[in-house]
Amino acid sequence: MNWLQQLQEQFLKLRHFRRSVVRNIQKRTLLNMCRDEIEMPVRVLVTGSSGFVGAHCVAQLLERGYIVRGQLRDRSRIESLRSVMKSQAEFDDAKLDFCVADLSDDKGWKEAVAGCEYVLHLASPSGRVDPSDPDKFIGPARDGTLRVLRQASR
């Protein structure tokens, strides 16, 4: 079996696992997440909150009244991201906080998911990767996703 077939096999396994997790979450929470008005504050962890898609998701959640915890790899980006959010959405400062956690390490994830009802997982490890070796970018992405899912399910 060549590396492309191995990659396809791993992708299918991860996709099946992800679909089953998503189905379970959708059954429990889809109606709650789509409500325009929230009766009680709901906290959402957004991984990858400093990325293009993540920042837009954070802004939308804040606009709809959710309390958002943004995950970052580097604490030094907190103030710049907060100012970006202020320019994109109107919200109370108390509704946005940040945590520091890295997908390649277990440290910080327990605290990141603490008190959160939902997790919007948008992060993926980045950096220069040799494209001839798919395990160098697929493995870390898969492991990071599993790390977040394990902590969220506890």
Side-chain angles (χ1 to χ4, degrees):
M1 189 180 308
N2 67 26
W3 71 268
L4 183 57
Q5 291 170 325
Q6 290 176 338
L7 174 65
Q8 289 171 333
E9 185 177 304
Q10 286 181 347
F11 177 75
L12 289 174
K13 286 179 184 177
L14 184 58
R15 193 165 87 184
H16 175 72
F17 175 73
R18 192 180 127 259
R19 281 184 180 165
S20 66
V21 169
V22 168
R23 278 189 207 113
N24 287 336
I25 291 171
Q26 286 174 337
K27 286 178 188 175
R28 294 186 318 213
T29 64
L30 186 59
L31 294 175
N32 292 335
M33 287 292 287
C34 293
R35 291 182 300 184
D36 284 335
E37 293 186 23
I38 302 170
E39 293 90 32
M40 50 190 292
V42 174
R43 184 180 305 273
V44 181
L45 170 64
V46 180
T47 68
S49 60
S50 64
F52 181 78
V53 174
H56 283 284
C57 291
V58 169
Q60 288 294 311
L61 288 165
L62 290 168
E63 285 279 329
R64 292 179 183 216
Y66 288 89
I67 299 171
V68 178
R69 178 174 295 150
Q71 173 267 332
L72 301 167
R73 286 179 298 190
D74 184 5
R75 186 170 297 284
S76 68
R77 300 190 67 194
I78 291 175
E79 289 311 313
S80 63
L81 189 57
R82 186 178 295 279
S83 66
V84 168
M85 289 301 113
K86 281 290 192 185
S87 70
Q88 291 186 9
E90 289 187 32
F91 62 93
D92 178 11
D93 278 338
K95 291 196 173 199
L96 176 62
D97 70 330
F98 295 97
C99 63
V100 177
D102 193 310
L103 288 176
S104 63
D105 189 7
D106 287 334
K107 183 180 173 187
W109 287 106
K110 183 177 181 181
E111 296 80 14
V113 300
C116 294
E117 265 188 70
Y118 305 107
V119 176
L120 186 55
H121 179 52
L122 304 170
S124 186
S126 61
R128 293 182 179 233
V129 178
D130 178 13
S132 65
D133 187 1
D135 286 332
K136 288 188 178 178
F137 57 90
I138 294 170
R142 178 195 60 228
D143 295 344
T145 299
L146 292 173
R147 184 171 279 114
V148 173
L149 288 173
R150 281 188 202 105
Q151 285 300 325
S153 67
R154 291 183 180 168

